[in-house]
Amino acid sequence: MIMKYKRLLVWFRNDLRLHDHAALFSAVEKAEEVIPVYCFDPRQFDSLSIGQKKTAGFRAQFLLESVLNLQDNLKSLGSNLIISSGLPENVIPILAKKYKVDAVYFTEEVTSEEKSVEAALEHSLYKDRIGTEAFWQSTLFHIDDLPFPVSQTPEVFTQFRKECEKLSKVRKTYPQPKKINTPDLSNDLHFKLPSWMQVEKVTDDRAAIKFEGGESAGMHRLKTYFWERDQLKIYKETRNGLLGEDYSSKFSAWLSLGCLSPRYIYEEVKLYEKERKKNQSTYWLIFELIWRDYFRFIAKKHGNNVFKLSGIKNYVDNWVRNEKLFQKWAEGNTGIPFIDANMRELNATGFMSNRGRQNVASFLVNDLNIDWRWGAEYFESLLIDYDVCSNWGNWMYVAGVGNDPRENRYFNILKQANNYDRKGAYIRHWIPELAEIPGFDIHQPFDLSTKELKEFGVSLGSTYPHPMVKLPKSFL
Ligand SMILES: Cc1cc2nc3c(=O)[nH]c(=O)nc-3n(C[C@H](O)[C@H](O)[C@H](O)COP(=O)(O)OP(=O)(O)OC[C@H]3O[C@@H](n4cnc5c(N)ncnc54)[C@H](O)[C@@H]3O)c2cc1C
């Protein structure tokens, strides 16, 4: 094979893996030597408008683990990873010049902050006559295979999905390189965690899953969930669950940092369908991955509007910005057990089920009428699986400023609690001070008499808050 380049630098971002990695695969094919680099960006740890850090401790820990795992996996192929910190648009050109690389390869992102880093990097490298190549690789359907230009992405999910399913194909995954030639990097392998990056490991035993960052742990989770525990064939029935490791795949955190590739998951689903079982559940996991694609392409189509109050619908409700009410929601002290349990789970573990996310988001925007972007920012800070497009897209959707053709996205909290936690096990798990209340009554302590409350060891306003709002009970 004729090598085109002497040396290429691969800048890793939200693509922390070796399997199905277009940029890495291409670099290994085209160059005699490859220099893998990761750079922690301080802007990812700045404060958000609500005062929280953009990346709180749990996700920072998951990110660190993912980067270190990538380094280990690269080492096993004879390579290594330079781990650095600072602005990538400054750090990468310095390394590119130092190691005299011909070009820098990276995965392109879609939203403005990430795009401006790419632009600044390209500009800086261009001045030094170093080329760049951006690769698309975070979605199931490749952008070039969409049956429409991104600017014409259907506004409604069902239409998007149907057109993709009918007219596009999921590309095959790239094989993992067997060996990577890398020059001596020892002068640049002395990474020290920057002071602005505070990491924190989840220690709460009540966590649905103990997330561990990195491609190896992501692969292991897939193997466990699909193959060892054989859960995929019942995914559609269990996916709205609230408790435990296996009601849903829990792939999101690994997907968000690119430790798992959606196309790899797709291939494993196809294999499972061939070797074990093919049913609605196996399809449904792919269906959910298409939602993920949809939010990414919608974000690319609509640019910064996805972060605006009026969203992409250009609709403005009269939202309030009441810090006191917001704080109660954020801390899980609303006095509505189903909301509080979910928020306490998020605060203690960096994770919340999809059912929980929809309910707490609806409660914030519909019952409290608070600016939905505050909720989106809170999730951005705390979620281990934070993904800019999925998070802001879903929030827009719940807030009614997205593309939902169904007008009313109001979630009747008690009805939801009745459907998904009838016996109150989820509340008992997260709000021990209510644990003595039997059955469904645990969801509505505010309806119990003083005598009953006393019997169950609850004192409203003291051991558990009074409800912030009166919830509709129309379903009962
Ligand atoms: C208000 C709100 C905010 C959200 N923020 C995020 C976020 O920051 N990051 C994130 O990955 N997901 C987000 N979601 C989507 C969804 O809740 C999570 O992807 C899911 O709960 C993760 O658990 P899982 O991997 O076990 O999901 P599973 O049910 O096993 O689904 C498999 C995969 O499909 C994708 N998926 C499933 N549902 C959705 C959805 N509604 N939108 C986009 N992708 C989906 C995810 O990649 C997920 O890992 C949000 C949902 C809501 C309502």
Side-chain angles (χ1 to χ4, degrees):
M1 193 191 313
I2 303 160
M3 290 291 182
K4 201 168 148 203
Y5 297 116
K6 169 90 180 103
R7 254 180 210 171
L8 288 172
L9 187 155
V10 176
W11 170 39
F12 282 89
R13 310 173 83 193
N14 293 323
D15 51 1
L16 303 176
R17 63 171 182 267
L18 302 182
H19 73 282
D20 194 27
H21 197 297
L24 180 67
F25 179 84
S26 184
V28 172
E29 286 258 287
K30 288 185 191 157
E32 284 168 31
E33 289 177 330
V34 173
I35 301 179
V37 179
Y38 183 84
C39 181
F40 289 100
D41 185 336
R43 289 166 294 202
Q44 292 304 316
F45 298 83
D46 281 350
S47 286
L48 293 161
S49 80
I50 55 167
Q52 299 275 133
K53 278 218 169 196
K54 218 166 151 58
T55 305
F58 295 153
R59 188 164 74 254
Q61 171 73 28
F62 187 86
L63 171 63
L64 178 64
E65 288 167 1
S66 299
V67 170
L68 293 175
N69 179 248
L70 178 68
Q71 187 179 50
D72 281 347
N73 292 345
L74 281 163
K75 279 185 193 168
S76 71
L77 299 186
S79 180
N80 212 320
L81 179 71
I82 297 178
I83 306 175
S84 185
S85 64
L87 306 185
E89 62 268 38
N90 297 341
V91 172
I92 304 289
I94 292 171
L95 290 169
K97 270 192 280 182
K98 179 171 172 185
Y99 287 97
K100 298 191 171 60
V101 306
D102 298 298
V104 171
Y105 283 10
F106 62 87
T107 302
E108 73 173 282
E109 290 283 345
V110 298
T111 40
S112 59
E113 286 173 8
E114 292 76 9
K115 277 289 173 210
S116 62
V117 177
E118 285 169 26
L121 174 69
E122 280 168 343
H123 182 72
S124 170
L125 289 168
Y126 178 76
K127 283 197 296 190
D128 295 322
R129 297 174 188 279
I130 298 172
T132 53
E133 192 168 334
F135 292 77
W136 181 271
Q137 58 179 348
S138 58
T139 50
L140 193 58
F141 295 106
H142 195 283
I143 191 165
D144 296 340
D145 300 339
L146 290 179
F148 34 75
V150 174
S151 61
Q152 301 297 317
T153 300
E155 292 297 334
V156 176
F157 171 70
T158 308
Q159 195 190 338
F160 170 84
R161 174 181 62 79
K162 285 188 173 159
E163 288 190 30
C164 288
E165 285 177 335
K166 198 164 152 211
L167 300 164
S168 184
K169 258 207 162 101
V170 177
R171 290 186 184 185
K172 250 171 74 82
T173 52
Y174 289 93
Q176 175 173 314
K178 290 198 170 58
K179 186 177 178 320
I180 301 175
N181 295 325
T182 298
D184 179 17
L185 303 176
S186 48
N187 285 336
D188 290 293
L189 294 175
H190 312 290
F191 172 69
K192 217 174 129 259
L193 200 66
S195 57
W196 38 260
M197 188 173 158
Q198 268 120 38
V199 295
E200 189 185 354
K201 189 88 186 154
V202 177
T203 52
D204 198 311
D205 287 336
R206 296 171 299 174
I209 185 168
K210 291 242 152 63
F211 280 114
E212 191 192 325
E215 178 178 22
S216 306
M219 291 281 194
H220 182 71
R221 171 63 190 160
L222 189 145
K223 199 166 146 236
T224 309
Y225 181 75
F226 279 16
W227 301 104
E228 286 167 13
R229 300 196 187 144
D230 213 9
Q231 294 292 307
L232 181 57
K233 65 175 192 285
I234 51 167
Y235 167 72
K236 191 156 183 259
E237 289 90 67
T238 60
R239 57 183 276 276
N240 279 310
L242 298 161
L243 279 171
E245 199 169 292
D246 289 337
Y247 63 80
S248 65
S249 74
K250 309 291 187 301
F251 292 163
S252 52
W254 291 288
L255 277 164
S256 67
L257 286 185
C259 303
L260 278 178
S261 142
R263 293 192 298 224
Y264 173 72
I265 298 174
Y266 178 85
E267 286 179 359
E268 289 286 300
V269 172
K270 293 289 148 197
L271 191 65
Y272 183 96
E273 288 180 338
K274 216 165 110 201
E275 294 190 356
R276 295 262 170 104
K277 196 167 181 66
K278 179 178 171 152
N279 62 13
Q280 286 229 346
S281 280
T282 56
Y283 166 67
W284 216 259
L285 196 87
I286 295 168
F287 177 95
E288 295 297 340
L289 289 175
I290 301 177
W291 266 109
R292 184 175 168 276
D293 272 22
Y294 166 73
F295 284 124
R296 188 154 289 249
F297 291 119
I298 283 290
K300 188 160 173 63
K301 174 178 176 180
H302 290 281
N304 274 343
N305 286 344
V306 300
F307 304 115
K308 290 189 182 149
L309 187 60
S310 53
I312 57 178
K313 209 173 184 180
N314 228 349
Y315 167 75
V316 184
D317 203 341
N318 47 354
W319 311 90
V320 294
R321 290 185 195 90
N322 182 320
E323 285 178 24
K324 241 169 116 181
L325 296 184
F326 178 73
Q327 216 45 43
K328 284 189 178 181
W329 172 85
E331 286 163 2
N333 278 322
T334 67
I336 313 291
F338 197 50
I339 300 304
D340 293 344
N342 275 293
M343 293 307 292
R344 290 181 193 191
E345 178 181 7
L346 175 65
N347 293 332
T349 71
F351 187 76
M352 190 196 291
S353 69
N354 184 53
R355 190 51 41 190
R357 294 181 204 202
Q358 289 181 320
N359 275 278
V360 301
S362 169
F363 183 80
L364 185 80
V365 301
N366 294 317
D367 291 296
L368 300 182
N369 209 25
I370 287 179
D371 186 337
W372 64 273
R373 296 169 305 173
W374 284 14
E377 283 198 356
Y378 195 74
F379 271 32
E380 170 166 356
S381 173
L382 283 176
L383 280 175
I384 292 182
D385 67 17
Y386 172 68
D387 170 298
V388 55
C389 304
S390 291
N391 188 57
W392 289 81
N394 271 290
W395 270 96
M396 267 201 315
Y397 210 76
V398 177
V401 296
N403 307 313
D404 194 357
R406 287 164 295 173
E407 280 299 306
N408 191 353
R409 295 293 295 167
Y410 183 75
F411 279 73
N412 182 325
I413 305 298
L414 287 175
K415 182 167 190 268
Q416 293 272 313
N418 187 52
N419 287 347
Y420 300 104
D421 188 40
R422 188 163 305 162
K423 293 186 181 150
Y426 181 66
I427 307 299
R428 253 162 238 118
H429 193 76
W430 286 106
I431 316 186
E433 59 270 37
L434 299 179
E436 296 295 312
I437 306 178
F440 187 73
D441 279 348
I442 197 171
H443 283 286
Q444 31 192 359
F446 35 82
D447 275 357
L448 298 179
S449 66
T450 320
K451 186 168 163 277
E452 284 170 316
L453 286 170
K454 203 166 165 206
E455 190 186 320
F456 303 132
V458 178
S459 164
L460 287 188
S462 164
T463 61
Y464 185 70
H466 286 289
M468 291 170 78
V469 290
K470 206 166 155 37
L471 292 176
K473 296 190 150 210
S474 47
F475 81 99
L476 290 171

